[in-house]
Amino acid sequence: MSDSSKEDYSDYFEVTPWKVEGSVDYARLIKKFGTQEITDELLEKFKSFTGELHPLLEHKFFFSHRDLDWILNKYENNEKFYLYTGRGPSGMVHLGHLMPWFLTKHLQDKFDSNLLFQITDDEKFLYGNKSMEEINRNVYENILDIIAIGFNKSKTKIIVNSKHIKHLYSTSLEIAKRITFSTAKSIFGFTNSTNIGMIGFPPLQGVPCFLPSILEGRPTPVLIPAAIDQDPYWRLTRDIAEKIGFYKPAQIHSKFLPSLQTVGKMSSSDPETAIFTTDDLDVIEKKISNTFTGGQPTISLQKKLGGNPGVCSVFSYLKYMFDTPAESNERELRCRSGNLLCGECKNDLSSHSTSFISIFQQKREKAKDLVSEFMYSEDR
Amino acid sequence: MSDSSKEDYSDYFEVTPWKVEGSVDYARLIKKFGTQEITDELLEKFKSFTGELHPLLEHKFFFSHRDLDWILNKYENNEKFYLYTGRGPSGMVHLGHLMPWFLTKHLQDKFDSNLLFQITDDEKFLYGNKSMEEINRNVYENILDIIAIGFNKSKTKIIVNSKHIKHLYSTSLEIAKRITFSTAKSIFGFTNSTNIGMIGFPPLQGVPCFLPSILEGRPTPVLIPAAIDQDPYWRLTRDIAEKIGFYKPAQIHSKFLPSLQTVGKMSSSDPETAIFTTDDLDVIEKKISNTFTGGQPTISLQKKLGGNPGVCSVFSYLKYMFDTPAESNERELRCRSGNLLCGECKNDLSSHSTSFISIFQQKREKAKDLVSEFMYSEDR
């Protein structure tokens, strides 16, 4: 049983590209950001292209979008789209980071899409206190994770901003010229004490939205699978896309995998809140045994009152990463009725996680030989 | 005689990197910018290294500095300095642009200095309405002018920002991280409607201050000869230099060669205000015949009252570009006493200018074969 079984959360939450705090109300977030809910109807349309729905769609871990219907119509009319996603290399990669990448791989396989994967080492240097050396080490480690996902080598290019800046710069100028400080301030909350590198940065994250059109020599649709905290960047890019002759990038937004310790997003800077792909297996077991659950303080209370899977990190991990929808529904029923104790769920998560990470780490090892083949270009 | 002989200027003037307006009071500018006057004592010290003083120093066309004394002391103690200057390729090059380059060449010859010459094509794209294609054409034409100055090929490297961005980017991040919006705003006057490219740009202009230290692998002094309107960039760079382990760049600031038509700086965007290195010789003659002078409205008034060389563009051009100090003094005396008519000065300027430009255009032609040798690097 968890020590911390209170269910009474304040309804405060905050979601920006640099901070996710509080218990996120995703329905409110859709309204706040002005995105669209992924409806059952849209999922049906999706299924007509992909066959079975990916669990992350079926579970509605991906819950929100911009122009997903439009991009599927384009595809239907033989206009193939690029995928674009990214990684801010602030630390090692944890399971929360992998979720959008899983869906990205699924989309690449089903739609035979090219993928641009941007690593924003510059932003992570500008925001925070890490040295470029430390960030460079993270970049390398993160690239191993990206490759370990299993993306199609011949259709995937990893862009590291500081390494590939010459391929990005002229397009970033086209974007930057069309964004006033006032617009950027209202979207990102910049203040007088924000450094000018951060203020100048957003256009670079917009560039891969337009790079496919430049590479293909014609307007090319782009779909971005990413956690919803990154939406402000694309909102900005969408605002100016048509002014410079490109399609607006479409997006599909995920929720956050919760922290192991409390509500909110996992954090690379607090290792206890997350399972990292580089964690030793015994460390993972220990983290899971200490995880926050939705269970009652005692076994007898749990049997009497049942638990609350809605606030349980263990339940979320199992649901989004390992259970089938049917398994997850049954788990929820058993928990709520008091017929499932937290220990069993923790055991399930522990065995699934260690098995998954163990295989993933083997893939990471093999990835070391593939780094240069995945890079956008190897020139320096 | 000029039609426009009024001497009653308002004392309004404004000097920023993007605008020079009004009749510049250089003594006030020194106070406003917080720079140092180039004193006769400092010029004596200069002479001890260079022998004869360059006319632009003797005439005090270069009138202000930061740490020029320091960098001469460094040189005396066997620490050689790099030179760094630049060009914003908003149009063709005119005589006003050449003045700091003349002194830069003189300094390169006398102090055997390496020179970095930065072309800020990105800034000129971000500020204003020119297309990148138009700016690229300017870049090429401007490079011909730079080479035609006669810089030492083996000690001069031209950096074109968008072309060489990968050599600049990581250092620009180090600078950008240490400049808040509030600091940049107070120095450059950024507003809510400034585009975020302009706000993010200043660090790139700072990079060549530090590049010599990176290239040499040890702290290396840098001296920047430039018109004083560019001082804000270096002020910003100086503020953070020591925080990242570099010397503050020293500077030597020139005045502006006046417009041919009125007070203020010449402008590439108004061709009548300036003599361009690409002008046909008959165009130059025509421009000079229409030039604003300090003369009286009629010949008889000129003979009676004398002219005012202090507000005369023709006099300034002759003084700073073609007359020896002795010739210029005599010209001034003859003008003030009514013994010199504007026609004679215009004739002098016309024959000097056409002769100078004619030779310069031959050098520009030869420069076409040297472009790649002068580039910072030829990789793309």
Side-chain angles (χ1 to χ4, degrees), chain B residues 23-88:
Chain B
S23 178
V24 180
D25 179 333
Y26 290 103
R28 272 174 62 198
L29 204 55
I30 281 180
K31 282 187 192 149
K32 190 176 162 197
F33 278 12
T35 64
Q36 305 292 311
E37 189 192 339
I38 297 181
T39 60
D40 292 335
E41 190 192 342
L42 185 53
L43 287 181
E44 279 308 308
K45 171 130 191 165
F46 217 90
K47 247 167 116 169
S48 72
F49 298 108
T50 61
E52 279 296 280
L53 271 185
H54 191 278
L56 290 172
L57 287 169
E58 190 161 5
H59 277 314
K60 302 226 170 151
F61 187 74
F62 280 83
F63 71 107
S64 155
H65 77 100
R66 294 183 191 269
D67 280 344
L68 181 58
D69 43 353
W70 169 84
I71 214 160
L72 291 176
N73 288 337
K74 285 277 176 194
Y75 183 80
E76 204 162 18
N77 292 317
N78 295 315
E79 260 192 85
K80 287 179 70 175
F81 56 84
Y82 270 60
L83 292 160
Y84 160 34
T85 193
R87 161 79 187 138

Side-chain angles (χ1 to χ4, degrees), chain B residues 53-291:
Chain B
L53 271 185
H54 191 278
L56 290 172
L57 287 169
E58 190 161 5
H59 277 314
K60 302 226 170 151
F61 187 74
F62 280 83
F63 71 107
S64 155
H65 77 100
R66 294 183 191 269
D67 280 344
L68 181 58
D69 43 353
W70 169 84
I71 214 160
L72 291 176
N73 288 337
K74 285 277 176 194
Y75 183 80
E76 204 162 18
N77 292 317
N78 295 315
E79 260 192 85
K80 287 179 70 175
F81 56 84
Y82 270 60
L83 292 160
Y84 160 34
T85 193
R87 161 79 187 138
S90 53
M92 294 296 113
V93 159
H94 58 55
L95 295 185
H97 301 128
L98 298 186
M99 311 296 276
W101 304 357
F102 288 150
L103 187 75
T104 304
K105 172 175 161 48
H106 171 77
L107 296 172
Q108 179 173 63
D109 292 344
K110 294 294 179 182
F111 293 94
D112 191 34
S113 298
N114 286 301
L115 165 64
L116 295 177
F117 207 119
Q118 183 181 47
I119 299 184
T120 54
D121 57 340
D122 43 0
E123 184 205 17
K124 290 305 170 192
F125 176 72
L126 291 166
Y127 184 78
N129 297 313
K130 296 201 167 59
S131 70
M132 211 27 134
E133 291 67 37
E134 188 175 351
I135 290 169
N136 284 342
R137 284 194 297 273
N138 294 341
V139 168
Y140 176 73
E141 293 292 335
N142 294 179
I143 286 173
L144 300 183
D145 292 300
I146 294 164
I147 295 173
I149 293 285
F151 293 115
N152 181 337
K153 193 168 63 182
S154 67
K155 307 202 82 149
T156 302
K157 289 295 165 203
I158 297 172
I159 295 169
V160 180
N161 279 4
S162 69
K163 184 177 169 70
H164 298 119
I165 184 69
K166 70 174 177 179
H167 301 284
L168 311 174
Y169 193 58
S170 65
T171 306
S172 84
L173 294 175
E174 292 280 358
I175 300 173
K177 185 168 179 165
R178 291 165 175 88
I179 302 170
T180 63
F181 178 64
S182 145
T183 300
K185 188 168 63 170
S186 73
I187 290 183
F188 296 106
F190 294 142
T191 67
N192 273 340
S193 62
T194 306
N195 74 56
I196 59 175
M198 287 296 292
I199 296 171
F201 171 75
L204 277 171
Q205 190 154 331
V207 172
C209 299
F210 304 141
L211 216 43
S213 298
I214 295 165
L215 294 170
E216 299 291 331
R218 58 185 156 74
T220 301
V222 171
L223 175 62
I224 307 169
I228 194 161
D229 58 334
Q230 297 296 307
D231 177 73
Y233 282 112
W234 327 125
R235 209 184 307 156
L236 196 69
T237 312
R238 286 170 60 87
D239 279 351
I240 61 146
E242 290 171 347
K243 290 181 200 161
I244 50 179
F246 297 118
Y247 289 137
K248 295 179 177 186
Q251 299 159 253
I252 177 166
H253 304 119
S254 80
K255 299 176 180 173
F256 311 109
L257 206 56
S259 159
L260 292 176
Q261 296 300 325
T262 172
V263 292
K265 185 177 154 182
M266 290 186 286
S267 164
S268 297
S269 52
D270 182 359
E272 292 306 304
T273 64
I275 295 168
F276 292 88
T277 61
T278 46
D279 277 346
D280 288 338
L281 301 188
D282 56 343
V283 170
I284 294 174
E285 283 170 352
K286 188 151 171 284
K287 282 182 181 176
I288 291 173
S289 75
N290 293 330
T291 296

Side-chain angles (χ1 to χ4, degrees), chain A residues 307-326:
Chain A
N308 182 0
V311 300
C312 179
S313 297
V314 174
F315 179 80
S316 290
Y317 274 64
L318 285 163
K319 173 175 175 179
Y320 293 128
M321 285 209 62
F322 303 114
D323 283 349
T324 63

